[in-house]
Amino acid sequence: MPRHEFIVVDPDKCIGCELCETVCSFVHDGEFNPLHSRIKRVRIEPIINISLSCQKCEDPDCVNACPQKALEKSEKNGSILVDEDKCTGCAFCIRACPFGAVSMSTETGKVLICDLCESIEYEEPQCIEFCSREAISLKTVDQVGDEKRIDAVKRLLTEMLAESK
Amino acid sequence: MTLEGYTQERVNIHLDTGKIERGSISEEFCINWIGGYGFGAKVLWDELKPGTDPLSPDNILVWAIGPYPGTFLPTSSKYGLFAKSPLTGLFGMAISSGSIAQQARRAGHNLIVFYGKAEEPVYIMFDDGDIQILPCKEIDLWGKGAWTSDEILKEHFHDSRLSVAGIGPAGEKLSKIACVTNDRNRQAGRTGMGCVMGSKNLKAICFRGTKSIKVADPKKFYELGKDFVKRSIGTATSKYREYGTPSGLVSYNDMGMLGNYNFREGYFDKMDKFSGQWLDENLVVKKVACSQCPVACDHLARVPKDHPLWAGAVGSMDIENIYSLGSNCGHNDWYAIIKAITLCDDLGMDTISAGTTVAFGMECFEKGIIKKEDVGYDLSFGNGEAVVKMIEEMGNRSSKIGDILSDGSRVAAQKLGGDAMKYSMQVKGLEFPMFDIHGMSSFAVGVSVSIRGACHLRNAAYGLDAKGKFDRFTYDKPLERGKAIKAVEDEYAVIDSLIICKFTRGIYADKQDHCDIYKTVTGYDMTPEKLMLDGEAILNLSKCFNIRAGATKADDYPPERFFTEAPTRGPAKGVTLKKAGYTKVLEGYYEARGWDKEGVPTDETLKRLGLDFVIGKLKGGKK
């Protein structure tokens, strides 16, 4: 099974500035509107900040939920592709997504899902390009797991080292 | 020509009748007055009757933004509030960031003017074009802290992203130093704009905007805007990102400029652990940003969970509130500072005025003007716990002295009598920011001529002293100094009108940079000359507002303490300001501005700035 990269946001680095939202809507539509962004900032006061975007689930709830069969997981990059001709804006996918990563355009009534900026002219996803804290990155599940393991072992070793002193 | 950037809509809200008028503002108005400060200055000059009592229904509250909110231009999400100040009796203004401006802009708003007083406490929901004036009682809002109100309103409208700017108990109870809080840690702090909202029975304004925003030249904006995003994480802002504004504690203290003990001193004797670095390494738990700001100067610090009094309190740390609630009250107790900041933000009081007024109270306590039996505890300098207690009593007006101090140090001094006025550290009624000006001969003038009272954000002449542009202990080159003081002030008038954050001022290489981004957003071919002339005109118009309200040359002097009592330690040890030298520089500034010796703009100056409509109207007002 091919490993696809998806947007990962580090909550320790995220400052909650919303630039990712603003630039996402701008590069896709030529206008600024966070409601049309494919990435959403979440802030829980006072200190939690993160942005969420499509996680490219292997068995996507959004695709399974769509009664019109308007959503399809791309073989090529794992992105969820929206067939705008089929999408009726029923929002079942929005309800199904466990991350709230699907939104709907206030103008077209069609759903919006992160396409890693592949439908537009930019080389790199623009949220990543604009993030001042390098809090957003593209990773595969294997990379995420690898980083988590290294973090865990570092923590564990620190405790072991401290105990041995 | 169609101007992008501006919605060009104006809404007048008559709180007494509930009538809502929708009008438009012309392209000419937008270009000449830019936004924010400029819009506020023009509306208040045109429409506020001279002699109006700031707390009467006749006062006018202006909410305004510039052309940038909603775009990703760094720090573009800023709004301003403008009214006659209950604290100074003069031009009142306060600027805040956070989410409000961009949300309001998407709702279609550019300029909102509030008139009259609602019969009962209300809040207003701006839901795109729909505007509803709603009673507070239905959701039990009145009496709640600003933070709780924010939560109630977000829940009520089922929208965690709803933008709310509101007052706490301090504003409701007409504290003259009441602020407006939004996004928890962002405040339109100074000159009592929260008091004006309270006097109008206006608890909060909420914005929800869903419309997309266009700019005139999207392609160019992308390139330029991205460049500014990159620049805003460069060296020009590194201190704000790393240790935040508290990085200045040590550097300004080293120059003897850190106000402490109610400005008896500028060199603090309790610098142990009192630095931005220590704070960052030990207590800061998160750095957060306003909407569209890559800088994230907002550094949140937390009181440890095992603290007996204030466990878990999380406060937004800034050099100004650390000075006002800390060093100026003679203590370096971080936990007390954090707790006091949270109280100010939630109760809705300007941290600078509140802390500096507590410091005033402490000095009155020391001198026996306030007695222990009046307070019930030891209100001495150095007692951080007393600062926290007094802030709570001021915000709620819940004790005799808290009630008196709730209106700022000038009103408190009038009520307390005796020598109290000697210890009121303010200009025009507005309490001092962090800088001790004993050894700052240029900023002494800058902070004193500031339109809204003692303020480093209207007039940034502290840089002239701190960077050694002029000798800070003497008064030579008065005209040259005057020109330099004017230049930074005009630049800030532009920045406060656009409105962008001063922390990104360093990312603009020159005025042309400002014009380039203005053009890509609005389509209007702004020139550096016109931009600066606009800034100068805005400054002059608000000055004229003050003159019409009764301000005179005497209001452009700092407190006597700076002329008569010298610090006993640090680089400014033994130094006082000299009245004759000060006056020389003040008059140099007046000359640089094209004002007469009394500080009144000449007709020639008014004509040069396109302010012909002011001529002949500068007499007859009263504060």
Side-chain angles (χ1 to χ4, degrees), chain B residues 477-489:
Chain B
K477 306 176 192 162
L479 181 59
E480 215 175 299
R481 281 180 198 252
K483 283 180 181 166
I485 297 167
K486 168 185 180 291
V488 291
E489 198 174 35

Side-chain angles (χ1 to χ4, degrees), chain B residues 381-445:
Chain B
F381 282 114
N383 186 350
E385 200 180 322
V387 175
V388 173
K389 279 187 187 163
M390 188 48 75
I391 289 292
E392 196 156 13
E393 292 167 25
M394 287 160 65
N396 290 311
R397 288 196 190 270
S398 57
S399 71
K400 181 184 158 193
I401 297 301
D403 180 41
I404 290 172
L405 297 181
S406 189
D407 288 325
S409 63
R410 186 168 71 177
V411 169
Q414 285 160 356
K415 286 183 180 166
L416 291 166
D419 276 345
M421 197 57 86
K422 274 168 66 178
Y423 313 118
S424 167
M425 303 308 287
Q426 40 75 25
V427 177
K428 302 180 178 72
L430 184 72
E431 283 72 21
F432 254 73
M434 179 270 294
F435 292 100
D436 184 295
I437 57 169
H438 278 98
M440 300 181 79
S441 50
S442 292
F443 187 53
V445 172

Side-chain angles (χ1 to χ4, degrees), chain A residues 11-12 14-15 17-19 21-22 26 31-35 41 43 46-47 49 107 126 129 132-133, chain B residues 70 72 106 161 210 212-214 218 221-222 226 230 233 241 286-289 291-295 300:
Chain A
D12 289 334
C14 177
I15 54 175
C17 71
E18 306 175 353
L19 268 170
E21 291 183 339
T22 317
F26 184 66
E31 299 176 340
F32 301 97
N33 193 340
L35 289 169
R41 187 216 66 170
R43 174 175 285 176
I47 61 171
N49 287 274
E107 274 152 32
Q126 291 298 290
E129 175 100 22
S132 70
R133 290 304 186 276
Chain B
F72 62 64
R106 283 196 302 278
R161 301 290 290 265
T210 68
S212 301
I213 292 167
K214 291 187 179 72
F221 181 85
Y222 175 85
K226 186 168 161 186
K230 300 292 172 203
I233 50 171
R241 283 178 286 128
K286 185 69 191 172
K287 294 171 185 176
V288 293
S291 181
Q292 315 308 319
C293 174
V295 178
L300 302 175

